[in-house]
Each structure stands twice: as structure tokens, then as C-alpha cells.
Amino acid sequence: MKMSSKNFNRIFSIDDFIKIEDIIFLDRPILTHLTKNDRDYFKYLVDSENEYDLFLLFEIDNDILIKYLLNKITLYSIITTNKYFCLLLKEDTFGSILEASIVNPLSLDIDYLPSYDSYLNIEFADSSSYRRLFSEYNKGLYLRELRNNAFYLKFEPTSPKYSDSIGFVDLSAKLLNNVVSSYRNFTRADFNVQFRERIGDQGKLNKTFSELSNHIDPRIVFAAYGSFEIGIAVDTVMKSDIEDRFLRSWALEVVDKYKSIVLDSNIDDEDVERIISEYNDDDRRKIFEPLISIVDNSNFNFKVKDNIKSNYKKYTIKKEIRDKIVPKLNKEIQSDKELELVNFTVVVDKNEKIKKKINPNKSIFTPVGNTTYNITNENFEKQGFYLEDTIIIQVQIETQDNRIKLSSEYKNQKFSSETYSDDLSMAINSFVLIIAKALNLNQINR
Amino acid sequence: METLKLKNEERIIALENCPSKANLDGVLTLYRCVASPINEDSFIPHSLLFTKFINECNAWGLSLFLDVKSARLQLKNLTKKMQGKYLAIAKCCISNSDGIKYQSGQNKFHYTFFPKENFDCVANFILIDEDE
């Protein structure tokens, strides 16, 4: 909508400015948002006397405009700290400009300025065209916030033959998998350390940790293909739905902890002492071994930086430190696989140039999609069923799109179940119940 | 029963799409920024004062706010000079028979009111106390 006026004015014309909205209207427009040549301007009524209006007209940066609309800065500060020329215009009742002069907003009479605390403070009408602007801005803000909290990993091939092949992608995916394993093992270990006393019961501890898992699941917030580089962040913005304040503050800090304790390229003796005292042998192995195997892979340089602004440092663990943190196993300990379903959310900025498209539905590392698991007496006993004989039932596990399919055969009976869930242990427990009922097992009351 | 016209109705309906929304049904207490003491001047639509607003639909009506707080917050964004013209706030209970009222502009709490011909603004708008 063009500003219309009978224009006899040779001094200055605002006819070719396009009106976007009257941001403030009180019987008549007070503050109007205009554009010209893709730049934003404010036309602001400063005084009105005897049918003459005095206006300020000045350019405003788009992000400052948004901040004003979002109630983050005052109109007072916009005017007084504006870096662009400011025009003072005198307009008559017809809308013709009679006088125009350049003014320094700082030297404006204080009466020609709004109140010091002039935040816009309005709730925008549903029909407002600015609403779309806000959601774009907020999305950008959210991504920026995530990226600021992210840690960044870079896998650089040491030999050119790796740089471009599918093998590289696969291998990088496995490496990424290792980092994430390490992170997840760390979070579980640290959670147990921090909350064992407070929560006590191991079952409840496990349950609470599972519930928190969603909140501390890492997200990929940045990806640059080629020399495989990604940013991993944990969403801190949504943490307000964790009610318990101890859990909440743990969740907010755990990534930083991981960065400083584990991803530290300069682990020294003091750090080692702390690590050994905090985490047991088994946990330390689970945390550090995945990283050690990356470090030991001579086809790659593994680099880490713990915030977007710093420089990448090669991640290494000296042999003496390694030997202390991860002592060698004396004997092979048989333990069944610890399986978890891993879901990753990918947040990517569509506007940024990434050479590879990341499909949010496909994880970029190789998940353990199909595997087997052995149900033993222990699984039955956990649910209150007592068996006389030792029992081992092999279960086929298939995971696909949030579905878990379990199938098995025992004593010529076939069992199967399908659940829509990402809780594997819950699915297994239900499956055990199905088998128990089919076998008419006796349930002992706890 | 004769339906009364709005004040300045011919000028208003001459504009395309004006009034721009349907009347918000019901009774609403709304607040207006006014000079003190209150007089006729506080209720002259700006389209009558400035030729440049002849085609500005909402300038033919009166700006009102849903509550005192939003009125005061909006005033802070006016220059001190302009605030001097609105040293008081008056309230009025407006029903369907008083005229047309609807939310207008960017601010959800801002309304435009087109009073009927016989509506006595000065008598119906009551100044509120400072601490209200």
C-alpha cells in the first residue's frame, strides 16, 4: 500500500516508501513500519500541533525491528542508539512534507522521545502479518541456541583414498556411533553416581534414567560433509518439563560434564584420579573404549572442539593415562548384549549448504536393526515367575519405525509380539509375560 | 424501529470495506486515552481533523483498549509530548446499540469504536481514578 498524498514537496517525499503496518495506532497511525529497497524504516509521530505533524523517519535494522516486536528492546533505545541518519519531517494536514532536516537523535529534546521503558508490550492479533516473522525468528533462535551448546566432532581421513567413498560414510557412521555410545554410557554412569543415594532402589534408578533419556538424547545440529564434521547438542530449551529440580539441573549440565571430563584432549593425572574415583571399572571401559578405538584407527584423525568458536584439537589419550583409566580385563566376562533403541533427532538448517542431505528419518549411523536376545530365568524371575529348570529362549528382535517385533520359538510353540514403542526392555518384559502365561508358569506373589 | 446511523456514517461507508469488521457482539467495557478534563475534543475522529486520514477507516472511529494496563503500556511508546495530550483514561460500557466496536490493528487489546449518531461520548465516558 503506497503512502498517498498530494505532494507539492520538493524537499523530500515518502511516496515511494511502502507501508507494511501501523505498529502503533492511537486514533491515527503513531508508529508505522515502512520499507524501501528491502530496507526497513520507522515513521514515528513525535508531535502534533495545529494540524501539523512532526515525524521522525529513520532506517532500522531488521533484527532490531524483530527485537522491538518481540519486546526485547525499547523504542527509546532504538531511537537514541540508532546508527543511521534520522530525519525530522514536518507534514501538513494533506500529508505533504513542508520541512525536512537531518537530526542527531541524541540531541533530540527529551519531549520528542518516548518513555525510557518504552517496550512495545503488545500481544499481536491473530491476523497480524508479523506472526509468521516471529516463528521464523524463533526457529532460527532455537537452532542457534542448540549450536552454541553443541560439541563438534571432525573425522579427517589420513589418506586420500578414503575421502570420497561410501566406505568413508559407513566408517564415519560407525565412528559417530562410538562417540554416541561413549556419551550414553557416560550419562548412565554419571546418573548412577549422582542419584544412587537419593533414589536408592536400582529399579527406580533405571526407570528414572530412562525417563530422562529423551531429554538428554543428543541431536545433530550441524553437518558438513566431506571431511566429516558434525555438531552434537542436547536440547536445553525444553528442559522445563523436568519437574524435579535436581534431575533438571543434572540434565542441563551433563553434556558439559561429558565435554570436560571425557572429550578432554589433555587428560592429566589429576583428571585420572577424579575419573577413577567417580566411575567404576566397567563404566570407565564403556565410556572410554569406544573413543580409544576411534583414536587407534590410523585411517582417521579424530578432532574435537567444545564450542562453535574454538579451534579443533586432535583427541588423544596417552598410553599411560589409558592404562590407568581402562585397566585390561583379567578374564573374559560373559555378558549378554545391552541393547537400547537409539533415536536421534536431526535438526538441520535447510538454508545452509550441506553437500549431503540428511534425512531426519534415517539415522546417519548404522543402528543394530535386527538382532537376537536371550531370555533367561532371570527375566522370568523379575516378573515373579519361578522356574525349576534353567531356561534360555532366543528371541529375534526387529526394529523398524518405532515398532519392536519380537519372535521366538520354544518347545514347539511360536511366540510373537509387536509393540509401538521405543522401550525395548518393556517390550521384552511383555514378551516374557506372554511366554510365561503360555507355559502356565506359576507366579509367586512378591 | 428506526436503526440509527453511525456518526459520520456517509463518510465511513463511502470507504471500501469500512467498518472493516463486524461488530463484536455483546457488552464490553473499554478504555480510552483522553485529555483531562474530558470534553468533546477527546472524541473527534482524526479523519475529521486531518485530510490525509479521509481514507483511513479506523481513523473515523475512536481508539479504545480492553483494559487500563494495555492503554498505559501503549502510551509509553508515545513521545512525552504526545503523552501530554492523554493525561487521563476514561471508561465506557459499550453495547451493540451504542455503535460498532471491533478489535483492530496489530494490538490484540486495541479496539475501534464507531459510535451511533445519538451516542453522547462525553456523558458516557467516565474518567477513572489514577490507581485503577
Side-chain angles (χ1 to χ4, degrees), chain A residues 54-68:
Chain A
L54 266 182
F55 288 98
L56 281 181
L57 178 71
F58 55 92
E59 186 177 348
I60 180 171
D61 283 337
N62 193 262
D63 63 313
I64 303 235
L65 167 67
I66 293 178
K67 283 189 176 137
Y68 177 61

Side-chain angles (χ1 to χ4, degrees), chain A residues 23-247:
Chain A
I23 295 176
I24 300 176
F25 185 98
L26 189 68
D27 291 335
R28 35 89 42 95
I30 302 286
L31 179 68
T32 306
H33 173 202
L34 307 166
T35 61
K36 182 176 168 176
N37 295 335
D38 281 334
R39 291 151 93 140
D40 299 293
Y41 295 86
F42 271 178
K43 184 185 179 196
Y44 179 52
L45 182 68
V46 146
D47 193 10
S48 182
E49 210 73 55
N50 302 324
E51 292 159 24
Y52 293 107
D53 286 335
L54 266 182
F55 288 98
L56 281 181
L57 178 71
F58 55 92
E59 186 177 348
I60 180 171
D61 283 337
N62 193 262
D63 63 313
I64 303 235
L65 167 67
I66 293 178
K67 283 189 176 137
Y68 177 61
L69 296 175
L70 288 175
N71 228 27
K72 293 181 193 297
I73 50 172
T74 62
L75 187 56
Y76 180 92
S77 96
I78 292 177
I79 296 171
T80 53
T81 61
N82 193 28
K83 58 189 189 192
Y84 298 109
F85 289 124
C86 200
L87 282 179
L88 189 62
L89 308 171
K90 186 173 178 182
E91 209 177 80
D92 68 11
T93 180
F94 296 98
S96 302
I97 294 177
L98 306 174
E99 285 169 34
S101 51
I102 292 188
V103 292
N104 179 353
L106 282 170
S107 62
L108 276 174
D109 194 315
I110 196 153
D111 282 348
Y112 284 177
L113 292 171
S115 297
Y116 187 70
D117 56 343
S118 43
Y119 288 95
L120 182 57
N121 262 323
I122 68 175
E123 202 181 311
F124 281 86
D126 296 331
S127 54
S128 168
S129 56
Y130 289 119
R131 281 184 170 266
R132 197 184 53 81
L133 201 65
F134 298 151
S135 86
E136 292 298 317
Y137 181 75
N138 282 330
K139 272 191 224 148
L141 253 188
Y142 175 60
L143 193 60
R144 269 200 295 282
E145 168 108 15
L146 281 182
R147 285 188 178 152
N148 285 339
N149 290 324
F151 55 88
Y152 292 81
L153 310 175
K154 196 167 175 174
F155 301 110
E156 267 174 2
T158 52
S159 150
K161 74 178 175 188
Y162 277 106
S163 58
D164 202 19
S165 62
I166 293 177
F168 178 82
V169 175
D170 265 354
L171 195 52
S172 304
K174 289 199 176 74
L175 298 180
L176 177 59
N177 207 3
N178 279 18
V179 175
V180 172
S181 279
S182 163
Y183 168 78
R184 282 183 148 238
N185 292 332
F186 174 81
T187 58
R188 184 182 282 277
D190 193 64
F191 180 80
N192 284 331
V193 165
Q194 303 300 328
F195 291 97
R196 186 178 298 125
E197 273 185 47
R198 221 178 133 245
I199 294 182
D201 175 64
Q202 186 64 44
K204 191 163 179 231
L205 211 56
N206 289 343
K207 183 167 183 279
T208 311
F209 181 72
S210 302
E211 281 164 8
L212 270 185
S213 295
N214 273 340
H215 292 276
I216 57 170
D217 245 11
R219 292 161 193 257
I220 296 165
V221 296
F222 173 80
Y225 198 62
S227 175
F228 200 89
E229 185 181 352
I230 65 168
I232 300 180
V234 169
D235 181 3
T236 53
V237 175
M238 310 299 186
K239 290 292 171 287
S240 50
D241 28 321
I242 302 175
E243 281 177 14
D244 181 312
R245 67 185 172 94
F246 292 107
L247 292 177

Side-chain angles (χ1 to χ4, degrees), chain A residues 245-310:
Chain A
R245 67 185 172 94
F246 292 107
L247 292 177
R248 188 167 60 241
S249 74
W250 178 81
L252 284 168
E253 287 163 6
V254 72
V255 175
D256 282 338
K257 259 181 144 174
Y258 180 73
K259 281 190 218 176
S260 66
I261 297 174
V262 183
L263 282 188
D264 180 5
S265 346
N266 282 320
I267 298 179
D268 60 23
D269 285 327
E270 207 183 299
D271 297 325
V272 171
E273 285 308 309
R274 186 189 162 180
I275 291 170
I276 293 179
S277 66
E278 287 268 294
Y279 310 105
N280 66 38
D281 281 7
D282 198 39
D283 285 334
R284 290 199 311 269
R285 190 168 301 116
K286 285 183 186 161
I287 294 167
F288 285 93
E289 267 181 359
L291 296 180
I292 290 171
S293 74
I294 299 175
V295 166
D296 282 350
N297 188 329
S298 58
N299 296 312
F300 284 87
N301 281 325
F302 177 40
K303 294 184 177 177
V304 169
K305 64 176 179 178
D306 65 3
N307 71 75
I308 197 166
K309 293 198 177 109
S310 56

Side-chain angles (χ1 to χ4, degrees), chain A residues 19 21-30 44-49 51 53 55 68 75 91-95 110-115 117-126 128 130, chain B residues 21 32-33 42 44-47 49-53 55-56 58-65 73-83 85-86 103-110 112:
Chain A
K19 173 171 158 175
E21 296 286 1
D22 293 316
I23 295 176
I24 300 176
F25 185 98
L26 189 68
D27 291 335
R28 35 89 42 95
I30 302 286
Y44 179 52
L45 182 68
V46 146
D47 193 10
S48 182
E49 210 73 55
E51 292 159 24
D53 286 335
F55 288 98
Y68 177 61
L75 187 56
E91 209 177 80
D92 68 11
T93 180
F94 296 98
I110 196 153
D111 282 348
Y112 284 177
L113 292 171
S115 297
D117 56 343
S118 43
Y119 288 95
L120 182 57
N121 262 323
I122 68 175
E123 202 181 311
F124 281 86
D126 296 331
S128 168
Y130 289 119
Chain B
K21 286 186 191 178
R32 180 163 171 78
C33 302
S42 288
I44 302 176
H46 277 57
S47 296
L49 299 172
F50 292 87
T51 317
K52 59 192 172 185
F53 296 135
N55 297 324
E56 181 87 46
N58 290 330
W60 281 104
L62 303 172
S63 278
L64 302 176
F65 289 90
L73 287 175
Q74 196 77 128
L75 282 175
K76 287 193 196 210
N77 286 270
L78 267 55
T79 61
K80 298 269 171 60
K81 203 78 175 15
M82 289 301 293
Q83 287 179 33
K85 300 176 196 286
Y86 301 104
Q103 186 277 331
S104 65
Q106 295 298 302
N107 187 351
K108 213 168 186 173
F109 283 64
H110 175 272
T112 297

Side-chain angles (χ1 to χ4, degrees), chain B residues 24-35:
Chain B
L24 184 71
D25 188 36
V27 178
L28 211 52
T29 300
L30 293 164
Y31 298 81
R32 180 163 171 78
C33 302
V34 294

